[in-house]
């Protein structure tokens, strides 16, 4: 089967060739069946990974891998042959998640087995129908499907401290509305037809791999660049604006571990994941432990501040921790140390001055 070059971020897992199980797919015009191949609940299928969103305005990212095994297969089922390594195609991959994910996968599977790609401007049908096309593809072929969601799926009427997995959402941005739509479509197809749909709500993601794009939580990336370039940062949120955040390595690891979790252990299809929660003032103070002369001023932008005020202060990720063992590796201090080291190295390699 050829993989379409869509710019949605999705993860497809292809079950291994053992123990066929019937999966029923129905619509108003036909009823068909397909073999859903599974090994054991504690074993993993191979993967396909795509990264990023077809809808530019929605900022959805995604991932897709090719049909082989991921790294948690028992050692007696793995081969050292390059032909047995997953071949990974990442589409729409020049966003925050895709670049770092490609680096991680190339270290694991070799550069020749990982292709990072993107397109300048997706056609209109990709913007409008990408999610539904991928859901149809996964359902018709009985694939395990991952669709990312974010903090933007919550709204001003949601519980904020903490925000549970199941609650009122009602977001007021098209970004958030698209996330809720994806969550509900996937869960509907799971309950109606048995699609193995999985979704994580990411908090704000902090990464040194890509430049900040001006989003509501991107101040937490920009401040590191400013600290090392000029020693000054103007923050567009209030100093006491608390939001849940996560370092990019934890984001990548959570996604892979979630997709590797046996289906029998999942009590939900959409989970919150959390790592830390901080304010601009708190991250600035942590950076000053390394760069004491950092100066931060605050000039709140009304649009981004309003969005931040409608989002949760903290995520409740107790279900993810209980069901499939999620545990972050990075707290605020570890993230700050790693971000400063990574950005410092990039600036030195580029011949740029460091404040």
């Amino acid at each position: 089967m050829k993989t379409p070059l869509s710019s949605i971020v999705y993860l497809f897992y292809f079950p291994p060739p053992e123990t066929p199980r019937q999966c029923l797919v129905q619509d108003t015009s036909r009823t068909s069946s397909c073999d859903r191949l599974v090994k054991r609940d504690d074993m993993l299928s191979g993967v396909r990974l795509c990264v990023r969103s077809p809808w530019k305005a929605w900022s959805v990212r995604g991932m897709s891998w090719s049909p082989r095994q991921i790294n948690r297969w028992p050692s007696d089922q793995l081969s050292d042959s390059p032909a047995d390594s997953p071949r990974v195609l990442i589409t729409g991959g020049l966003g925050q998640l895709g670049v770092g994910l490609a680096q991680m996968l190339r270290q694991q599977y070799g550069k020749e087995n990982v292709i990072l790609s993107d397109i300048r401007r997706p056609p209109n049908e990709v913007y409008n129908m990408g999610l539904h096309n991928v859901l149809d593809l996964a359902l018709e072929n009985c694939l395990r499907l991952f669709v990312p969601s974010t903090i933007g799926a919550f709204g001003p009427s949601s519980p904020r401290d903490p925000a549970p997995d199941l609650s009122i959402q009602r977001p007021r941005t098209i970004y958030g509305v698209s996330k809720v739509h994806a969550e509900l479509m996937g869960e509907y197809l799971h309950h109606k037809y048995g699609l193995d749909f999985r979704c994580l709500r990411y908090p704000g993601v902090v990464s040194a791999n890509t430049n900040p794009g001006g989003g509501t939580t991107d101040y937490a990336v920009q401040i590191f660049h400013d600290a090392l370039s000029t020693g000054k940062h103007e923050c567009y949120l209030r100093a006491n604006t608390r939001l849940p955040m996560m370092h990019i390595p934890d984001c990548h690891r959570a996604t892979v571990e979630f997709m590797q979790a046996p289906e029998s252990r999942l009590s939900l299809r959409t989970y919150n994941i959390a790592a830390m929660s901080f304010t601009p003032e708190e991250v600035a103070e942590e950076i000053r432990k390394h760069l004491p002369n950092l100066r931060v001023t605050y000039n709140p932008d009304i649009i981004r501040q309003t969005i931040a005020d409608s989002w949760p202060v903290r995520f409740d990720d107790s279900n993810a921790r209980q069901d499939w063992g999620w545990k972050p590796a990075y707290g605020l201090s570890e993230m700050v140390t790693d971000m400063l080291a990574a950005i410092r190295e990039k600036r030195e390699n580029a011949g740029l001055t460091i404040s």
Side-chain angles (χ1 to χ4, degrees), residues 55 58 131-132 135 176-186:
W55 307 292
W58 293 20
L131 171 66
H132 294 179
L135 289 169
V177 169
S178 72
K179 295 299 188 182
V180 175
H181 172 74
E183 292 177 15
L184 295 180
M185 282 296 300

Side-chain angles (χ1 to χ4, degrees), residues 205-207 220 224 245-248 276 278 283 330-341:
V205 177
V206 181
S207 171
F224 290 98
M245 299 283 187
M246 176 176 285
H247 197 18
I248 191 73
M276 65 194 91
F278 57 76
V283 71
Y330 289 84
L332 177 57
S333 62
E334 294 86 2
M335 183 196 72
V336 167
T337 300
D338 188 65
M339 284 289 291
L340 288 174

Side-chain angles (χ1 to χ4, degrees), residues 136-318:
D136 288 345
L137 177 68
L139 185 61
E140 290 176 5
N141 293 278
C142 297
L143 308 180
R144 181 177 297 177
L145 173 64
F146 173 80
V147 177
S149 187
T150 74
I151 185 176
F154 293 100
S157 57
S158 305
R160 298 190 67 219
D161 192 11
D165 290 312
L166 302 177
S167 70
I168 295 172
Q169 291 178 265
R170 310 290 292 181
R172 291 185 180 176
T173 65
I174 189 61
Y175 172 75
V177 169
S178 72
K179 295 299 188 182
V180 175
H181 172 74
E183 292 177 15
L184 295 180
M185 282 296 300
E187 292 187 15
Y188 166 77
L189 292 174
H190 166 71
H191 293 297
K192 183 75 172 179
Y193 301 116
L195 174 66
D196 190 357
F197 168 82
R198 304 183 184 204
C199 179
L200 292 178
R201 294 193 191 109
Y202 299 125
V205 177
V206 181
S207 171
N209 296 327
T210 55
N211 292 327
T216 303
T217 60
D218 278 352
Y219 84 86
V221 179
Q222 186 66 54
I223 192 172
F224 290 98
H225 290 274
D226 292 346
L228 288 167
S229 60
T230 66
K232 303 175 184 178
H233 174 70
E234 181 177 275
C235 184
Y236 48 72
L237 298 181
R238 292 190 306 269
N240 63 348
T241 304
R242 183 174 299 279
L243 291 169
M245 299 283 187
M246 176 176 285
H247 197 18
I248 191 73
D250 275 342
C251 181
H252 291 152
R253 183 171 57 83
T255 304
V256 174
E257 290 180 359
F258 180 45
M259 290 301 287
Q260 292 175 340
E263 190 171 6
S264 60
R265 291 176 57 185
L266 304 183
S267 64
L268 301 169
R269 288 290 143 177
T270 299
Y271 288 86
N272 294 338
I273 51 169
M276 65 194 91
S277 183
F278 57 76
T279 67
E281 189 173 43
E282 288 171 349
V283 71
E285 283 301 314
E286 191 66 34
I287 293 173
R288 288 193 187 101
K289 294 178 182 179
H290 303 262
L291 301 170
N293 296 325
L294 172 65
R295 290 193 301 165
V296 179
T297 57
Y298 298 93
N299 183 20
D301 173 78
I302 187 170
I303 295 177
R304 285 176 287 197
Q305 186 66 60
T306 300
I307 293 172
D309 290 342
S310 74
W311 284 353
V313 170
R314 292 180 180 85
F315 271 173
D316 177 358
D317 65 348
S318 56

